[in-house]
Amino acid sequence: MIIDLVENLRSSNEELQMHCANAIFKCAEDKDTRDLIRKYKGLDPLVKLLSNRENKPLLAAATGAIWKCSISKENVKRFQELKAIESLVALLSDPTEEVLINTVGALAECAQEPENRASTRKSGGISPLVNLLTGTNNQLLVNTCKALAQCAQDPDNISIIERMDGVRLLWSLLKNPNPRVQASAAWAICPCIKNIRDSGETVRNFVGGLELIVSLLKSNDIEVLASVCSAIAEIAKDEENLAVITDHGVVPMLASLTNTNDDILRKNLTEAIAQCCKWGKNRQLFGSHDAVAPLVKYLKSPNTGVHASTAKALHQLSKNPANCIVMHENGVVRLLLGMVGSTDEVLQENSAGCISYIRRLALANEKARNA
């Protein structure tokens, strides 16, 4: 079937081309289908269809097919060769919502490759993407946030995003009632905070901004919680902001999430806990809110990414003696000993650091008993 669809993309009948592109749009969620489209050289005619700016249904179908085909890195490579990024950026001014949704979705996928982030900027794509943050279509907002989350990892792009007040616009989307919009905005905020110079001050200048992001820890949506924890981990790197979010009750709210089984949430939650430990009595506070014992279980997760962030959090928490006792009682030493030999240096160092604090406490107790 795929070979026929690809063949008919080259037809001179625009309606037939549209139906074939639409079929690819619907089928290309599947990896095998995406591979076949590339194998039968279907990517080239799809890009060619982008030049037909008058036929909006055909343009929507073609951009949709390119979006879904871009999920595969091998396809993105071919799209690069065909200068598809430049053609997609040119469509960011198109008034048709469906075309915009698909175009931005395709740019978001392509921008996972660093060179395409630069191509998006050089083609003038960053400004129109930021402007789309003021829209009302939820799917378009989600795709725009995803595209900017990728583009913001490029230092030259971040200066344009900042100049256009893009971070404030992303922050305002945290008030959107749709959880998918909230989550995609929070994910996009993370690289912005990470890469903007003086981001701590930028964040403090958003009136009620820190209180707003902490309040989202009450969400029932796992994706919102994971993305907000990731943003909090970045925010907390600034001491003043960490003090403010502590006052807003970030510690008990993070502690209340520790009984989760979701590994994406676990990873981002432990990153946030590790950073939030670095202020005042927060380590002690996490302990008194029963956040320590559940974290030990995270080390049994099959996801190695969870191990590194959990070891980081446990290392910070182990600087409080009461937390060391809870960790020891829950068998953390045996689990961490197996991770000291890891090839991941972050995991290795934090595992060793945590064991060291527990050992010091045990030795101090022994000395006191023998005194």
Side-chain angles (χ1 to χ4, degrees):
M1 182 184 83
I2 301 299
I3 195 164
D4 295 328
L5 290 174
V6 168
E7 194 57 46
N8 287 318
L9 284 175
R10 297 186 175 88
S11 157
S12 56
N13 183 323
E14 289 187 0
E15 193 176 350
L16 180 57
Q17 287 176 317
M18 181 199 70
H19 289 306
C20 291
N22 256 329
I24 290 171
F25 179 22
K26 301 286 186 289
C27 299
E29 294 269 357
D30 172 67
K31 188 188 182 302
D32 292 339
T33 302
R34 295 195 296 272
D35 291 344
L36 285 171
I37 293 162
R38 183 178 66 258
K39 180 185 171 185
Y40 295 130
K41 301 194 171 12
L43 303 177
D44 301 44
L46 282 174
V47 173
K48 211 172 176 186
L49 290 176
L50 297 181
S51 58
N52 191 335
R53 303 284 290 270
E54 303 308 312
N55 186 334
K56 299 303 180 187
L58 176 58
L59 196 55
T63 49
I66 290 170
W67 172 15
K68 298 303 176 183
C69 286
S70 300
I71 296 167
S72 291
K73 281 188 176 182
E74 300 87 346
N75 291 348
V76 170
K77 197 170 177 230
R78 182 60 189 150
F79 285 140
Q80 276 174 250
E81 291 163 2
L82 295 166
K83 306 282 185 204
I85 308 297
E86 292 80 350
S87 302
L88 288 166
V89 167
L91 293 174
L92 290 175
S93 57
D94 197 281
T96 316
E97 213 161 53
E98 200 182 342
V99 171
L100 277 176
I101 289 167
N102 297 343
T103 298
V104 178
L107 285 170
E109 293 295 340
C110 291
Q112 290 186 57
E113 296 298 317
E115 54 265 50
N116 291 338
R117 296 168 197 157
S119 298
T120 302
R121 180 186 69 254
K122 288 169 186 170
S123 309
I126 306 298
S127 298
L129 280 172
V130 173
N131 288 334
L132 289 174
L133 293 173
T134 57
T136 54
N137 181 293
N138 286 337
Q139 185 60 62
L140 182 53
L141 288 171
V142 167
N143 288 2
T144 304
C145 289
K146 283 181 179 174
L148 287 170
Q150 296 299 334
C151 290
Q153 293 173 58
D154 183 308
D156 293 322
N157 290 348
I158 200 75
S159 58
I160 302 170
I161 294 169
E162 189 180 11
R163 192 171 66 242
M164 293 193 65
D165 218 8
V167 188
R168 186 185 58 79
L169 292 171
L170 285 167
W171 216 283
S172 68
L173 289 178
L174 297 174
K175 297 175 191 170
N176 188 296
N178 185 296
R180 288 177 66 236
V181 175
Q182 290 174 347
S184 55
W187 286 125
I189 284 167
C190 298
C192 292
I193 298 171
K194 193 175 182 176
N195 296 319
I196 284 176
R197 230 177 304 167
D198 303 322
S199 66
E201 195 180 339
T202 302
V203 169
R204 276 192 295 284
N205 288 337
F206 301 142
V207 179
L210 290 170
E211 189 177 358
L212 169 63
I213 204 154
V214 171
S215 73
L216 285 174
L217 291 172
K218 295 173 186 167
S219 173
N220 295 318
D221 187 279
I222 290 282
E223 185 81 9
V224 171
L225 293 172
S227 58
V228 168
C229 284
S230 181
I232 285 171
E234 287 298 334
I235 290 163
K237 287 175 184 174
D238 178 274
E239 201 174 59
E240 277 186 62
N241 289 340
L242 176 50
V244 174
I245 61 174
T246 298
D247 289 343
H248 286 312
V250 75
V251 171
M253 289 171 87
L254 290 172
S256 72
L257 301 174
T258 51
N259 284 309
T260 181
N261 292 317
D262 185 276
D263 275 343
I264 295 173
L265 177 52
R266 283 174 163 186
K267 184 181 184 303
N268 292 290
L269 174 59
T270 45
E271 289 285 359
I273 290 172
Q275 287 300 328
C276 289
C277 277
K278 298 173 186 178
W279 177 257
K281 293 184 176 177
N282 283 0
R283 290 186 184 96
Q284 187 183 328
L285 204 54
F286 277 119
S288 61
H289 280 90
D290 302 321
V292 180
L295 296 193
V296 177
K297 293 177 195 160
Y298 293 12
L299 296 173
K300 295 176 183 173
S301 165
N303 186 326
T304 51
V306 173
H307 299 167
S309 58
T310 302
K312 208 187 287 183
L314 290 170
H315 183 199
Q316 285 298 324
L317 290 163
S318 68
K319 294 177 184 181
N320 174 270
N323 292 341
C324 282
I325 294 165
V326 175
M327 287 179 205
H328 192 270
E329 286 171 350
N330 283 273
V332 80
V333 175
R334 183 180 54 81
L335 292 164
L336 288 176
L337 278 170
M339 295 175 183
V340 171
S342 168
T343 51
D344 181 333
E345 282 183 25
V346 175
L347 176 54
Q348 192 183 90
E349 286 171 25
N350 285 294
S351 299
C354 185
I355 292 168
S356 162
Y357 279 109
I358 294 169
R359 191 163 172 269
R360 268 183 243 176
L361 181 65
L363 289 170
N365 283 342
E366 202 173 317
K367 250 186 205 172
R369 272 201 305 273
N370 297 332

